[in-house]
Amino acid sequence: MSAQLSPSSKARPRGAARVGIGGPVGSGKTALLEQLIPRFIARGTDIAVITNDLVTAEDAERVRRSGLIAPERVLAVETGACPHTAIREDPTLNLAAADELDRAYPGLELILIESGGDNLASSFSLDLVDYWLFVIDVAGGDDIPRKRGLGVLQSDLLVINKVDLAPHVNVNLDRMVREAHEVRAGRATLLTNCARGDGVDAVVERIAQEVLFDR
Ligand SMILES: Nc1nc2c(ncn2[C@@H]2O[C@H](COP(=O)(O)OP(=O)(O)O)[C@@H](O)[C@H]2O)c(=O)[nH]1
Ligand SMILES: [Mg+2]
């Protein structure tokens, strides 16, 4: 191991980096996952995935069926009625799933954890993840950054998805980005179209820089 370990990788010297993907239902978290997976695999990163769903394993099944990643590398956590509890107040189930993946794949470098999807106030516990993304979409309205939800304020990386829809829903994308920058105190914001993959390379680059630098 190199000398420049991040604090979190010191805590889990042999474990994979854990990256959360949060955001409201429908913002494009699974679509982003499906764009990230082949890019990390092409980059040679050893990855696995955890999805959180309320009472089903729908997203996990979708990712397993996608053919993008070996199906056994995709675990599902059923969160019940409170998806944010499973990623913040009591991440026991997600921690157990991540530990299980670490044990099953000794060379594992990165675990992507999709949250069950919640409101703008959801955030990830730093006991669970080393770094987290919050995905919003332009169809949710360009006033979302102004509403100062926890996810928008505190995520390490804010992803504004569905930029292709901006002209159709009368969203001023420039203003949305400007206001995101204003409330995020210098933390990164990136724009994507996860239906096509536009902008996703920059997301991969950012995650690699922030959590894979020593791997
Ligand atoms: N037009 C457009 N549709 C998108 C984009 N990203 C995702 N979608 C669609 O938005 C819907 C919700 O996406 P999904 O990934 O399931 O959202 P999740 O609930 O956050 O996981 C799906 O119908 C996607 O095809 C995008 O960038 N542009
Ligand atoms: Mg999803």
Side-chain angles (χ1 to χ4, degrees):
M1 284 257 173
S2 77
Q4 34 158 206
L5 290 173
S6 67
S8 48
S9 24
K10 265 182 203 150
R12 281 193 305 276
R14 285 173 298 280
R18 298 172 180 184
V19 171
I21 302 178
V25 174
S27 63
K29 297 178 296 299
T30 310
L32 176 61
L33 255 186
E34 290 168 335
Q35 293 288 349
L36 291 175
I37 291 167
R39 284 170 172 80
F40 277 112
I41 290 175
R43 193 183 170 277
T45 307
D46 194 336
I47 64 167
V49 169
I50 298 170
T51 66
N52 284 232
D53 268 309
L54 300 186
V55 287
T56 64
E58 183 123 348
D59 279 352
E61 290 302 337
R62 173 172 154 192
V63 177
R64 285 179 190 135
R65 274 197 311 267
S66 70
L68 297 169
I69 183 169
E72 61 273 17
R73 285 175 175 256
V74 182
L75 296 188
V77 166
E78 285 183 26
T79 62
C82 288
H84 60 262
T85 305
I87 59 167
R88 190 177 53 205
E89 287 88 358
D90 180 13
T92 318
L93 290 173
N94 275 296
L95 284 167
D99 289 346
E100 184 182 334
L101 288 166
D102 272 335
R103 276 194 303 274
Y105 304 101
L108 198 62
E109 293 168 290
L110 176 64
I111 301 173
L112 298 172
I113 305 175
E114 180 188 343
S115 91
D118 208 336
N119 55 35
L120 295 171
S122 63
S123 63
F124 278 87
S125 163
L126 294 181
D127 291 333
L128 176 62
V129 297
D130 302 300
Y131 185 86
W132 60 287
L133 286 59
F134 196 74
V135 183
I136 58 175
D137 70 275
V138 302
D142 55 8
D143 55 351
I144 287 187
R146 277 204 304 282
K147 292 181 177 168
R148 295 173 160 265
L150 272 186
V152 170
L153 293 183
Q154 296 183 352
S155 55
D156 296 299
L157 172 60
L158 179 69
V159 174
I160 301 179
N161 186 36
K162 307 193 189 179
V163 292
D164 54 302
L165 297 184
H168 304 290
V169 291
N170 272 329
V171 158
N172 182 332
L173 203 51
D174 289 339
R175 193 177 74 193
M176 195 171 174
V177 172
R178 195 171 60 242
E179 291 180 348
H181 282 305
E182 281 166 13
V183 299
R184 283 177 51 72
R187 282 187 289 274
T189 299
L190 291 171
L191 303 179
T192 57
N193 170 346
C194 289
R196 288 184 24 169
D198 301 342
V200 180
D201 286 345
V203 178
V204 169
E205 203 45 50
R206 175 64 62 160
I207 294 172
Q209 268 173 25
E210 297 292 330
V211 302
L212 298 177
F213 59 89
D214 60 337
R215 293 161 204 260

